[in-house]
Amino acid sequence: MSELTDLTAAAAAERIRAREIAPAELFEAYRARAAANDLNAYTWVADAPPPDDGSAQAPLAGVPVAVKDLFCTEGVPSQSGSKILEGYRPPYTATVVAKLAQAGAPLLGKTNQDEFAMGSSNENSGFGPVLNPWDRSRVPGGSSGGSAAAVAAGLAPWAIGTDTGGSIRQPAALCGIVGLKPTYGACSRYGMIAFASSLDQAGPLTRDVTDAALILRHTIGRDRHDSTSLEFPGEIALPQAEDLKGIRLGVPEELTGAEGGIEPGVHENYNAIIALAEGLGATVEPCRLEHAPHALSAYYLIAPAEASANLARFDGVRYGLRVDGDADLITMYSRTRNAGFGPEVKRRIMLGTYALSSGYYDAYYGTAQKVRTKIAEDFHTAFERFDFIVTPTSPWTAFELGSKTADPLAMYLNDFMTVPMSLAGIPAISIPSGLSEGLPVGFQLAGPAFSESRLLDAAYALERAIGFDGSEARG
Amino acid sequence: MSPLTPEYEPVIGLEIHVQLSTRTKMFCGCRLSFNDPPNIHTCPTCLGLPGALPVVNARAIHFGIMIGLALGCEIAERSLFHRKNYFYPDLPKGYQISQYDVPLCRGGRLGDVRIHRVHLEEDAAKLNHLGASGRIHGSDRSWVDFNRGGTPLVEIVTEPDLRSPEQAREWPALLRTTLRQLGVSDVNMEEGSLRVDANVSVRPVGSTQLGTKTELKNMNSFRFLERGVRAEISRQIALLERGEPVMQETLHFDPATDTLTPLRSKEEAHDYRYFPEPDLVPVLATEEMLAAARADLPTELPAERAARFETELGLNADTARLFAFRTELGDYFERALAAAGGNGEQREVDPVELSNWIPQLVERIGSDADPAGSNVAPESLATLATMVKAKEVSRDAAREVLTRLVQEGGDPRAIVEREGLGALTAEDDGLGKLIDRALAADPAAVNQVRSGNMKAIGPLVGYVMRETKGRADGGEITRLIRARLGL
Amino acid sequence: MATELSHVLDHIEKIRELDLEGVPPTSHVIDVVNALRADEPEPSLPREVILAAAPERINDGFGVPTPGAA
């Protein structure tokens, strides 16, 4: 167990700035661990540290970052966890990755993920499942399972992933680390291989809240290549709150009621954190999110619909897998996509196509978009009385590999507490809040659009009080 | 052979695609291509690479609004882009970004035809076929050039207001002139910057219901458009008269044989599963944008010019349209109207008389030529028209003068003097003598005329015209003969 | 696949029981309009780079079976 890889990213940056360690030294320590990992967390690891270009003076001091496979990285495999893009090397780099590199966080490796970000366990990857460092017979969560496992196991100082319905927050919870989904539009989506355009957002997976704030600070900003990105009002402050005095927390009955299907251990932990928060000066009251019970249904209509169109470009014509190019065009299309896509992707493409098809659009996609409006309104109303809404992140702790693959619906239920925030486009963070039967539990805080600085502050205060120790997973 | 039988009338609507002459593509900064080597104007966005995103070209919106204003449309306060989903090799994303139920412009009118809508979208790439003919039939391997993919297109859809093949040829010409004057497109059918498809149906005269319509594609010139539409109308009428129904289908016109064949549908299904484009945000047509578009409109558009020619200058409708639709004719006409007469005086030319001489000029220089480039200065044509109106020269003689002007330029008065083409009038003694001779030479005709058969005057007039070599005006001769005969 | 999909659909169907009369659909969750770009050219990708990824190359372009050919 190397002392170097025990440091948070911020702490490592401090040491680098104090000239106690060199960026190349830190890079190599992580690179070696990443290359040797037994969790299948990575799909590609750098060969060597990047040449020294003065990154020690840059804001992120040369601390390398693990990047989810679906971020395009020029010349480096970017496959979104799919066989249909196996070995694909894009001719350009995603804006968020470029910004991090420019801020002094070079690319350490590409992390494994559920195929096209569709999944909650990382069992849908075309390159094998990722294992949870807390218990290798269990899933790390998904779809950013590789990023979460890498950070939790000390195979990366920090990582970025994407969150569409919970794909950063849920694996963060299952792996005992911090995961943040920013306000929709805060970070550029240019270069992110798309799953659901109106929901996808890039965000950090880190060991603590301070590291998450650091990454966020250097990834936000309007990008002229992304029409849906916006200028973030103000800067991201580094968190420093020591208590929660004056903070009003809302507990949504619809999401946290016992019949919601939440594991008892998770529920217990949740109640304990609520008590802790009150002890820190917060007021906690029930709040209503009337349409939240329908969020999952709306999500599983909107996301697959957008995905069905986003994945139409994978046709074997210009890049990626091509099967039976000597057959007729339609055969080539269908055999390529049949061979290249896994079952969950196919399921969602079919679902999405159905939801958009003539005669069904109004009943399905159209209705889902209206439910979305109501959910956003519910949050808006709630935030008039509360600073943050709080829930457990995941209804259960890490489950065993293979235990939920028989029934897609069982898998979809992983997301019922994270999906509402995605639909409303508001920011939400998951922090590790304890263990239940030896497995990590996550606590979620959600705030209004652009409240990231305050959200991080509140999460920081709680994190201090909780005192979670994740070193066990780093072996 | 007219396809317009007494029982049926054709109902025609047009769908026009116009490539805009912006510098870059609709959703990315790649340059537009002009027969450049394949695939040198591409980027992640127009190639449909994973992770790429579209960004709207502001100038394309500007041009779209200009077109909408020129066509008298309502510009939508807020419009959306939609995805139109289908698979084809020339469509890299597997969907086209277009506009669906919230287009940029609605309503409007140009000349006799109402506009249904105007919207923006991106063009497909170019699919080339290997095979002797280069056509899709007979090839089994093709390849894609993405240079064209992403070019900004404006789609203009008319109401089904056209009622004849001729109108299907003429109205697009008005549209083309209008768009050319706006400066938003090259509108060249041969180069593909203007494409016109027709929707054709027929119905019994007097009916207000619409018959089943077919879609005609691949008509690469206005003449082919007319022929294709005519052929389709005939085909539909023949079907209906045999008691067979018209099937809704897409037909491809072959100008070599004037036949229509059903086109194999390029999309798998006709369900495009439109939904709002989540990668783009709504377009709000602000006051600023509207003002900027208005400022870039020409002061007078062709339809307005035709109306002015007709109501203010008294030209007949067809001539007014001809001069307005062909900008170079209208411009030349107006310069001639404004021209000063000889000796620096401002001589007023009669617009209607002048307008007769433009087609005559066109006949002599070729129908595609611009009169401004000929040897005939506008002032000269104006002078000639004035001389004809003042009977200083006969119509026939003036035609000869025009021929000379086309060959060598110069001043019509000088030519008339040099060639001795001045009009012979009643005051000219020579004319009186010629009339005497004509009457003496054909007493039978004279008797016919005296007994009321006016037609018999023809040969007498002809005799004089021949003898004067056309220098006397036919009408004038007739008048003099009648006067001589006391009629 | 079909069973799994119908099971999912059964759950999703419930959404249709809601009374959503008069509720506008959310097509865009952020309040941004007119994200427009100036009509200025930007460098295109070099042809060799894009063709390097092509599964089949014909004539400096992307080869495919001809649509409609058997």
Side-chain angles (χ1 to χ4, degrees):
Chain A
M1 186 164 63
S2 157
E3 198 205 31
L4 263 183
T5 57
D6 264 335
L7 300 168
T8 64
E14 269 309 299
R15 297 276 207 94
I16 289 172
R17 275 190 279 269
R19 294 175 189 282
E20 289 168 33
I21 41 173
E25 215 185 309
L26 185 72
F27 194 101
E28 186 47 41
Y30 275 109
R31 199 205 62 75
R33 284 175 70 89
N37 94 95
D38 68 333
L39 303 175
N40 200 26
Y42 282 90
T43 53
W44 178 89
V45 179
D47 281 337
D52 180 22
D53 52 358
S55 60
Q57 281 71 52
L60 300 179
V63 179
V65 63
V67 167
K68 187 172 182 180
D69 196 18
L70 60 70
F71 287 94
C72 283
T73 39
E74 188 175 341
V76 169
S78 308
Q79 310 156 124
S80 201
S82 178
K83 287 231 172 294
I84 214 166
L85 280 177
E86 187 168 8
Y88 173 69
R89 290 171 194 255
Y92 75 110
T93 295
T95 298
V96 157
V97 175
K99 284 170 85 98
L100 282 173
Q102 231 182 2
L107 180 66
L108 173 62
K110 303 298 290 292
T111 56
N112 201 348
Q113 56 168 91
D114 277 305
E115 187 180 4
F116 288 110
M118 301 183 193
S120 311
S121 66
N122 221 128
E123 292 172 289
N124 293 331
S125 170
F127 307 108
V130 175
L131 311 179
N132 191 319
W134 292 82
D135 178 340
R136 281 157 171 72
S137 70
R138 294 174 184 268
V139 303
S143 60
S144 311
S147 285
V151 172
L155 309 175
W158 47 12
I160 55 171
T162 61
D163 192 308
T164 305
S167 290
I168 285 176
R169 293 163 283 160
Q170 185 255 15
L174 267 52
C175 288
I177 58 167
V178 172
L180 169 72
K181 181 200 85 66
T183 305
Y184 182 85
C187 298
S188 167
R189 289 184 299 115
Y190 186 65
M192 270 167 53
I193 299 176
F195 161 20
S197 315
S198 74
L199 296 158
D200 292 346
Q201 267 299 282
L205 292 100
T206 57
R207 295 205 201 143
D208 69 8
V209 174
T210 303
D211 282 356
L214 268 176
I215 286 194
L216 189 65
R217 175 185 275 186
H218 294 283
T219 49
I220 52 168
R222 178 144 202 330
D223 179 11
R224 68 199 179 85
H225 287 117
D226 177 0
S227 306
T228 60
S229 72
L230 16 76
E231 205 47 59
F232 199 93
E235 282 194 353
I236 302 297
L238 286 186
Q240 11 165 255
E242 291 177 354
D243 57 54
L244 295 173
K245 292 208 188 91
I247 300 291
R248 304 158 298 166
L249 300 178
V251 172
E253 326 164 317
E254 295 84 358
L255 292 179
T256 56
E259 341 79 58
I262 299 175
E263 246 173 35
V266 171
H267 215 270
E268 248 177 67
N269 171 271
Y270 178 68
N271 290 333
I273 304 303
I274 297 292
L276 194 62
E278 282 174 317
L280 287 171
T283 54
V284 182
E285 275 171 40
C287 76
R288 294 228 58 205
L289 289 178
E290 193 187 328
H291 297 83
H294 298 280
L296 207 59
S297 300
Y299 174 80
Y300 278 101
L301 285 168
I302 294 170
E306 293 178 5
S308 70
N310 284 330
L311 269 58
R313 68 191 62 200
F314 302 108
D315 56 9
V317 172
R318 289 144 288 125
Y319 47 80
L321 183 70
R322 174 189 284 202
V323 174
D324 286 347
D326 289 331
D328 65 272
L329 183 66
I330 305 301
T331 302
M332 181 191 97
Y333 279 159
S334 60
R335 292 207 183 138
T336 296
R337 291 164 68 83
N338 200 35
F341 290 145
E344 183 59 36
V345 168
K346 287 179 188 160
R347 233 184 321 263
R348 296 202 197 187
I349 289 176
M350 282 192 270
L351 197 51
T353 306
Y354 183 61
L356 291 173
S357 55
S358 173
Y360 295 97
Y361 180 102
D362 288 333
Y364 293 116
Y365 186 77
T367 301
Q369 291 288 41
K370 292 182 179 188
V371 172
R372 188 172 190 175
T373 302
K374 294 308 273 181
I375 289 173
E377 275 173 21
D378 289 348
F379 274 111
H380 193 82
T381 306
F383 286 131
E384 283 165 9
R385 288 177 53 215
F386 298 98
D387 295 295
F388 307 112
I389 308 289
V390 291
T391 72
T393 306
S394 162
W396 36 70
T397 55
F399 44 94
E400 284 172 359
L401 288 154
S403 62
K404 291 190 194 291
T405 47
D407 180 12
L409 199 56
M411 191 66 84
Y412 296 166
L413 287 169
N414 269 293
D415 302 327
F416 84 86
M417 289 182 286
T418 49
V419 150
M421 296 77 181
S422 303
L423 289 171
I426 58 174
I429 188 171
S430 177
I431 57 171
S433 51
L435 297 175
S436 167
E437 292 178 41
L439 296 169
V441 182
F443 184 81
Q444 175 178 231
L445 299 93
F450 307 115
S451 64
E452 276 84 335
S453 288
R454 293 192 300 115
L455 191 62
L456 286 158
D457 228 17
Y460 178 81
L462 264 179
E463 174 186 69
R464 273 176 97 243
I466 293 169
F468 182 83
D469 178 8
S471 57
E472 184 185 321
R474 290 198 292 276
Chain B
M1 181 174 57
S2 168
L4 295 169
T5 71
E7 291 104 30
Y8 292 100
E9 66 168 354
V11 174
I12 304 155
L14 299 178
E15 242 175 66
I16 299 107
H17 285 91
V18 180
Q19 275 183 350
L20 297 180
S21 49
T22 51
R23 296 173 69 196
T24 63
K25 297 187 178 182
M26 185 71 220
F27 298 116
C28 67
C30 289
R31 287 177 191 276
L32 299 194
S33 168
F34 297 96
N35 298 315
D36 290 326
N39 287 305
I40 63 166
H41 297 299
T42 74
C43 74
T45 297
C46 59
L47 261 182
L49 296 190
L53 294 173
V55 185
V56 176
N57 183 334
R59 195 148 179 80
I61 302 289
H62 178 69
F63 281 178
I65 296 176
M66 281 175 66
I67 292 173
L69 291 173
L71 299 181
C73 304
E74 283 254 324
I75 312 294
E77 246 182 68
R78 181 179 175 280
S79 70
L80 287 184
F81 284 96
H82 273 69
R83 291 189 184 178
K84 180 180 182 181
N85 300 280
Y86 63 96
F87 285 91
Y88 206 70
D90 66 4
L91 197 66
K93 297 185 294 297
Y95 56 86
Q96 178 198 31
I97 301 179
S98 177
Q99 294 193 292
Y100 180 54
D101 56 0
V102 203
L104 185 65
C105 318
R106 272 206 202 281
R109 167 185 280 279
L110 183 68
D112 296 329
V113 178
R114 291 168 303 161
I115 304 295
H116 177 55
R117 54 182 276 154
V118 177
H119 75 250
L120 284 160
E121 59 187 26
E122 53 177 348
D123 207 352
K126 181 107 180 44
L127 188 57
N128 299 305
H129 309 292
L130 304 178
S133 65
R135 307 249 328 261
I136 194 168
H137 307 292
S139 297
D140 68 358
R141 211 87 206 140
S142 305
W143 59 279
V144 194
D145 172 10
F146 289 94
N147 281 348
R148 190 183 79 179
T151 301
L153 287 183
V154 158
E155 179 174 325
I156 300 168
V157 181
T158 74
E159 298 288 359
D161 286 352
L162 293 94
R163 290 285 175 275
S164 72
E166 293 78 24
Q167 201 182 5
R169 173 177 41 82
E170 286 167 2
W171 186 85
L174 170 58
L175 179 65
R176 183 175 60 183
T177 307
T178 306
L179 294 172
R180 199 178 270 145
Q181 251 200 290
L182 290 176
V184 299
S185 169
D186 292 337
V187 273
N188 184 321
M189 271 181 106
E190 273 145 26
E191 288 174 0
S193 48
L194 176 68
R195 316 202 278 253
V196 184
D197 299 330
N199 291 315
V200 180
S201 68
V202 298
R203 67 183 175 194
V205 172
S207 163
T208 49
Q209 293 230 310
L210 291 172
T212 306
K213 67 178 181 204
T214 58
E215 193 185 358
L216 270 53
K217 286 177 150 347
N218 192 53
M219 290 162 299
N220 296 332
S221 74
F222 294 152
R223 298 235 161 251
F224 289 164
L225 192 56
E226 180 182 1
R227 280 164 56 190
V229 168
R230 177 170 290 121
E232 177 58 9
I233 292 167
S234 298
R235 189 189 73 90
Q236 288 194 16
I237 290 176
L239 275 175
L240 294 175
E241 288 186 333
R242 285 204 302 272
E244 290 171 37
V246 172
M247 303 303 294
Q248 181 169 17
E249 55 190 342
T250 303
L251 299 160
H252 168 113
F253 178 68
D254 182 359
T257 55
D258 261 9
T259 52
L260 299 143
T261 35
L263 198 65
R264 238 167 313 180
S265 161
K266 77 186 231 174
E267 313 84 35
E268 276 306 283
H270 293 288
D271 181 5
Y272 294 117
R273 300 188 298 281
Y274 285 99
F275 68 100
E277 171 57 81
D279 288 333
L280 294 175
V281 294
V283 174
L284 256 56
T286 63
E287 244 331 293
E288 232 172 25
M289 287 159 74
L290 292 174
R294 268 183 225 118
D296 272 0
L297 293 178
T299 39
E300 186 183 51
L301 288 166
E304 294 161 351
R305 197 182 211 189
R308 180 168 62 83
F309 283 170
E310 210 181 322
T311 54
E312 284 179 28
L313 299 179
L315 301 191
N316 70 56
D318 285 340
T319 307
R321 285 229 267 265
L322 175 66
F323 289 3
F325 293 18
R326 286 195 52 194
T327 317
E328 61 280 13
L329 298 186
D331 289 348
Y332 185 90
F333 173 69
E334 294 209 82
R335 280 170 58 197
L337 266 184
N343 312 317
E345 328 158 354
Q346 201 75 322
R347 192 90 72 89
E348 257 200 46
V349 178
D350 173 38
V352 176
E353 183 60 56
L354 177 62
S355 75
N356 292 330
W357 292 98
I358 305 249
Q360 291 282 331
L361 173 55
V362 168
E363 217 177 286
R364 284 158 177 74
I365 61 174
S367 53
D368 290 329
D370 181 353
S374 73
N375 288 322
V376 186
E379 310 82 73
S380 302
L381 198 71
T383 303
L384 187 62
T386 307
M387 289 170 73
V388 170
K389 188 81 184 187
K391 296 195 195 298
E392 288 168 33
V393 65
S394 76
R395 218 162 267 287
D396 283 343
R399 287 196 193 100
E400 252 197 76
V401 174
L402 183 58
T403 304
R404 296 276 196 283
L405 284 170
V406 167
Q407 284 161 0
E408 28 178 274
D411 172 36
R413 287 184 195 287
I415 293 171
V416 164
E417 217 181 289
R418 190 183 73 212
E419 308 279 334
L421 291 169
L424 290 174
T425 65
E427 289 76 49
D428 194 296
D429 197 42
L431 187 59
K433 289 213 174 79
L434 280 173
I435 287 172
D436 290 337
R437 272 171 45 201
L439 297 179
D442 196 348
V446 172
N447 285 332
Q448 293 256 329
V449 172
R450 280 217 171 104
S451 50
N453 182 4
M454 280 304 125
K455 285 201 183 133
I457 213 172
L460 299 169
V461 173
Y463 183 106
V464 178
M465 298 229 4
R466 277 193 306 278
E467 294 297 310
T468 61
K469 298 196 177 85
R471 286 174 57 195
D473 182 62
E476 185 65 11
I477 297 167
T478 308
R479 196 187 62 77
L480 289 168
I481 290 176
R482 292 182 62 181
R484 193 65 70 84
L485 298 177
L487 295 166
Chain C
M1 177 72 73
T3 339
E4 291 153 349
L5 275 175
S6 3
H7 195 195
V8 170
L9 276 170
D10 286 339
H11 180 98
I12 287 174
E13 280 289 325
K14 300 195 189 121
I15 209 180
R16 303 173 58 189
E17 291 159 19
L18 288 169
D19 175 16
L20 296 165
E21 188 66 43
V23 178
T26 297
S27 53
H28 296 88
V29 79
I30 48 167
D31 206 10
V32 175
V33 294
N34 286 350
L36 303 175
R37 153 185 77 82
D39 189 25
E40 291 300 326
E42 297 185 39
S44 291
L45 287 171
R47 180 165 66 198
E48 279 317 301
V49 168
I50 63 163
L51 287 178
E56 179 189 350
R57 218 183 135 145
I58 296 181
N59 289 347
D60 291 332
F62 297 82
V64 289
T66 300

